[in-house]
Amino acid sequence: MGDARDAESGAEPDDPVVDAVFDAVAAAAPEIRAALPGRRVKSGTENASGESVMAGDLYADELLGEAIIAVDGVGSFVSEERETAVDAGGAVGSDGAYAVAIDPLDGSSNLRSNNAMGTVVGVYDAPLPATGRDLVAAGYVLYGPITTMVVADESGVREEVVEPGDDGERATRTVVEADLRLPDDPTVYGFGGRVPDWPDDFTAYAREIESELKLRYGGAMVGDVNQMLTYGGVFAYPALTDSPDGKLRLQFEANPIAYIVERAGGAASDGASDILDVEPKGLHDRVPLHVGNETLIKRLEESLDG
Ligand code: AFP
C-alpha cells in the first residue's frame, strides 16, 4: 500500500508489524464501506455478549479477520463477534507475536439510520484477555462523510484519510493530522444509556456537564469519541443501575479508546481508576467507560466517589 505517511512525515513505521496491521485495516475499510448498503439487516445470530448481530458486523468481521490473521507477527486474533480467540500461528508475548482485538463494526445499530459507525483495533503484546497496559498500539476507522483512521502508538496519535485505490489498487492512507491532541478547552459531551438508568451520582455529574457543554451523542462510540477528540470534552457509557459494568467491552472497545485518548493528552476511567489498569476476567468483560479532558474525568471520579 502506498503509505503516504512515510512520504508526508518521512517517519519510518515505528513497528513494522503494527504498521502492517493498520495497512490491512485500511485496505479493508473501503470494501467494508462499499458492502454496507446491502447489509443493513439483522443476521439472525447473536454474539458472545448476547447482542443481535447485523449482516454488516459479520461481513466486516470476516474481512478484517482474514486480513489481520495473515499479517506476519500476529499470533492471535479476537473479535467482539467471536466467542474465542483465533490462533494465528505465533507465540504471543513480549518477544513474540502480537494479539489483535477488534470490534469490526462498532455502532452497527446505526446501519438502518445511516449514521456514523467505526472499526476499533487494539494491538496487544500479551495473550488476551490482557490489561490496557499491554497495548502497543490502538486505532479506529470512522465511516463518516469521509473514511478516516486514527492510529495511536508510542510516538503519538495521527489521523489519516483512507481512500479506495484506483483500478483494484489497495487503499491509500494520507496523514492529515500528524499530532492529534485533545483540545484544552472542552466543548462537547455524549453520555450513553437511558437517563432513568443512570445511578444518582452519575446523574448529578451529568447535570453539571449539561450546563457547561453541548450535547453530541450519535449512538456509535467511535463517532462520539472522534467528536470529543476533535472539539474537546467528555464521552461516557457509564455503569447503569441494571448493568453495573455498563455496556462497552474492555478488550475490544474501552482499552483501545482509552489508549488513544490518553496518548492524545486526555484521561480514561472506569469511574474509579484508569481503564488501562482494569484487570480482565474474561475476553468479553464489559466496563463503564469515561474518556476526555483530564479535569472532567477527575471531576467524574470525585463525583462517583460520592
Ligand atoms: P451497537 O454496535 O450494537 O450499535 O452498539 C454500539 C455501542 O456498543 C457503542 O458504539 C455505543 O457507544 C453504544 O453501544 C450505544 O449504546 P446505546 O444504543 O445504548 O446508546
Side-chain angles (χ1 to χ4, degrees), residues 26-256:
E31 292 180 57
I32 291 169
R33 190 177 187 112
L36 293 179
R39 290 175 172 81
R40 301 171 73 181
V41 293
K42 288 186 191 274
S43 67
T45 60
E46 282 194 351
N47 65 15
S49 302
E51 296 164 332
S52 103
V53 174
M54 303 294 283
D57 287 311
L58 292 184
Y59 180 81
D61 181 56
E62 232 169 271
L63 203 65
L64 288 161
E66 198 182 316
I68 291 169
I69 288 166
V71 171
D72 267 349
V74 171
S76 161
F77 169 77
V78 293
S79 162
E80 183 181 292
E81 307 307 346
R82 303 190 197 202
E83 191 83 32
T84 55
V86 176
D87 178 6
V92 176
S94 47
D95 302 336
Y98 291 142
V100 179
I102 71 166
D103 177 358
L105 196 60
D106 170 70
S108 55
S109 316
N110 281 351
L111 260 172
R112 285 183 51 208
S113 56
N114 192 26
N115 289 99
M117 282 165 283
T119 292
V120 188
V121 182
V123 184
Y124 295 81
D125 71 355
L128 301 183
T131 75
R133 298 294 174 196
D134 291 317
L135 281 164
V136 295
Y140 59 77
V141 175
L142 174 56
Y143 306 100
I146 301 162
T147 303
T148 53
M149 183 163 75
V150 166
V151 182
D153 57 26
E154 59 192 23
S155 63
V157 187
R158 59 190 174 276
E159 181 186 31
E160 304 173 7
V161 168
V162 176
E163 291 172 299
D166 301 328
D167 313 326
E169 287 291 302
R170 275 165 73 97
T172 60
R173 296 167 60 178
T174 308
V175 176
V176 291
E177 176 51 74
D179 182 20
L180 183 64
R181 302 289 299 168
L182 188 65
D184 291 337
D185 298 331
T187 306
V188 299
Y189 75 95
F191 296 152
R194 295 179 62 253
V195 175
D197 297 337
W198 290 345
D200 293 344
D201 51 7
F202 182 80
T203 302
Y205 171 75
R207 291 288 170 265
E208 280 178 31
I209 297 297
E210 285 163 357
S211 69
E212 299 167 22
L213 304 180
K214 279 194 295 187
L215 171 60
R216 286 287 184 276
Y217 187 79
M221 174 190 66
V222 169
D224 294 328
V225 166
N226 198 65
Q227 283 213 57
M228 184 275 292
L229 273 175
T230 306
Y231 298 118
V234 56
F235 167 83
Y237 203 105
L240 304 177
T241 44
D242 55 353
S243 40
D245 291 334
K247 177 180 183 184
L248 301 178
R249 271 67 33 146
L250 178 65
Q251 299 295 303
F252 316 103
E253 294 165 310
N255 271 342

Side-chain angles (χ1 to χ4, degrees), residues 3-16 19 153 155 158:
D3 184 344
R5 181 157 73 88
D6 295 344
E8 293 267 324
S9 61
E12 283 304 308
D14 300 302
D15 177 324
D19 208 57
D153 57 26
S155 63
R158 59 190 174 276

